[in-house]
Amino acid sequence: QVQLQQSGAELAKPGSSVKISCKASGYTFTSYDISWIKQTTGQGLEYIGYINTGSGGTYYNEKFKGKATLTVDKSSSTAFMQLSSLTPEDTAVYYCARSTYGFAYWGQGTLVTVSS
Amino acid sequence: DVVMTQTPVSLSVSLGGQVSISCRSSQSLVHNNGNTYLSWYLQKPGQSPQLLIYKVSNRFSGISDRFSGSGSGTDLTLKISRVEPDDLGVYYCGQGTQYPFTFGSGTKLEIK
């Protein structure tokens, strides 16, 4: 069955970076884009962008340009999202999701907490 | 960006009852290819969102026929019939017609 397994919770200091992973299994990795979504209590669900897992091509929501960098390692069927120059406003749960007509499969989420 | 407005913010329903959730978009969700990419998700407590409905009215694999989606253009609706205890959580609509994709702010369903 399709599974997206994300890396564990992160506690980071302001100004630092974190890199979250999303390992896919149960399907042909390069056949579907992987999207990333931010969830906070205040802002709800926000779409960060996606990566074409075959070509490595990316799209970023304007709001997250310069904040998020999406990459992929086809050999391990893993997608990554690096968040840089972290501020307390980046504290959130981040999800990866497989994109088709909707987000049919989601990872379990990675909590990133930014605090000094 | 397309703004998705969901109503109500919360609702309470008796087991076996029926509810409707509205989602209105600030722009038409009809894509140039004629499809309308509007999905509905349920986020149960402590879990990731799960896809219920895609392209307005198509139930995702394994989703009960108690869930139905309808509407067109900018006015979409999710209907849940014969509500069960496992239906509680927060329901979100989401559009995939125009980048950046956007979501409604959610409707919390409580069981009386």
Side-chain angles (χ1 to χ4, degrees), chain A residues 19-36:
Chain A
K19 192 170 186 178
I20 303 168
S21 65
C22 171
K23 183 173 177 57
S25 60
Y27 71 98
T28 302
F29 180 65
T30 53
S31 294
Y32 298 88
D33 299 336
I34 291 287
S35 289
W36 292 87

Side-chain angles (χ1 to χ4, degrees), chain B residues 1-38:
Chain B
D1 298 1
V2 179
V3 177
M4 306 296 288
T5 303
Q6 251 184 272
T7 54
V9 173
S10 65
L11 63 148
S12 183
V13 62
S14 299
L15 294 177
Q18 179 176 288
V19 296
S20 291
I21 300 171
S22 170
C23 182
R24 288 186 171 167
S25 59
S26 61
Q27 302 171 36
S28 173
L29 298 183
V30 181
H31 192 274
N32 289 341
N33 64 14
N35 289 312
T36 300
Y37 296 104
L38 186 283

Side-chain angles (χ1 to χ4, degrees), chain A residues 32-36 49-54 56-59 70-72 79-80:
Chain A
Y32 298 88
D33 299 336
I34 291 287
S35 289
W36 292 87
Y50 76 85
I51 186 163
N52 181 307
T53 52
T58 54
Y59 162 83
L70 306 182
T71 55
V72 67
F80 300 91

Side-chain angles (χ1 to χ4, degrees), chain B residues 22-66:
Chain B
S22 170
C23 182
R24 288 186 171 167
S25 59
S26 61
Q27 302 171 36
S28 173
L29 298 183
V30 181
H31 192 274
N32 289 341
N33 64 14
N35 289 312
T36 300
Y37 296 104
L38 186 283
S39 300
W40 289 95
Y41 303 88
L42 165 60
Q43 186 170 30
K44 297 179 182 179
Q47 296 185 19
S48 306
Q50 62 180 98
L51 178 64
L52 301 173
I53 302 283
Y54 64 94
K55 287 202 294 181
V56 180
S57 59
N58 297 273
R59 276 185 296 276
F60 184 56
S61 175
I63 300 302
S64 168
D65 61 4
R66 298 184 300 103

Side-chain angles (χ1 to χ4, degrees), chain A residues 43-71:
Chain A
Q43 297 296 320
L45 296 166
E46 294 182 278
Y47 185 72
I48 296 170
Y50 76 85
I51 186 163
N52 181 307
T53 52
S55 67
T58 54
Y59 162 83
Y60 295 96
N61 182 341
E62 196 69 33
K63 180 177 179 180
F64 293 94
K65 284 184 178 178
K67 171 62 64 178
T69 303
L70 306 182
T71 55

